[in-house]
């Protein structure tokens, strides 16, 4: 349990950041899921639109430190490859 005022403030700050990061992570998962669902349905146009919104969201999460930069790049790369396979 936090006893000093600085420790109490740190606890508040950590809770606030955790909530923001949770929201960002949730947004990323939502956008990625939309791409996955469109790919599974075989809807090329919907998958492309969903990918165009998911990619910046993934990179933004990487910039903000919610996920690692390489993880974001890997996810974008794999989604792009699946989209390319669907198009071919």
């Amino acid at each position: 349990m936090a006893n000093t005022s600085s420790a109490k403030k740190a606890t508040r700050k950590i809770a606030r950041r955790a909530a923001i990061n949770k929201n960002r992570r949730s947004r990323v998962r939502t956008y990625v899921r939309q791409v996955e669902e469109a790919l599974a349905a075989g809807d090329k146009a919907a998958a492309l639109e969903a990918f165009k919104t998911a990619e910046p969201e993934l990179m933004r999460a990487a910039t903000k430190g919610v996920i690692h930069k390489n993880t974001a790049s890997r996810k974008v790369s794999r989604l792009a490859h699946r989209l390319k396979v669907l198009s071919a």
Side-chain angles (χ1 to χ4, degrees):
M1 187 67 197
N3 290 322
T4 63
S5 59
S6 60
K8 289 176 184 175
K9 180 179 178 181
T11 303
R12 291 193 304 270
K13 285 172 63 176
I14 290 166
R16 193 161 42 239
R17 292 305 317 167
I20 291 168
N21 288 342
K22 182 179 178 183
N23 187 30
R24 284 205 175 105
R25 197 174 303 114
S26 176
R27 282 174 58 92
V28 167
R29 288 179 180 151
T30 299
Y31 284 120
V32 169
R33 191 190 72 244
Q34 288 172 354
V35 177
E36 302 254 349
E37 287 173 354
L39 286 169
D43 190 353
K44 187 174 97 171
L48 186 61
E49 282 302 312
F51 179 72
K52 283 183 180 178
T53 57
E55 183 191 4
E57 198 63 41
L58 276 160
M59 289 307 168
R60 191 174 300 115
T63 304
K64 301 293 183 182
V66 177
I67 59 175
H68 195 274
K69 182 175 168 253
N70 291 353
T71 302
S73 293
R74 183 180 68 244
K75 287 182 182 288
V76 168
S77 177
R78 288 180 180 174
L79 287 173
H81 179 72
R82 288 177 59 192
L83 190 63
K84 184 179 176 184
V85 168
L86 182 68
S87 300

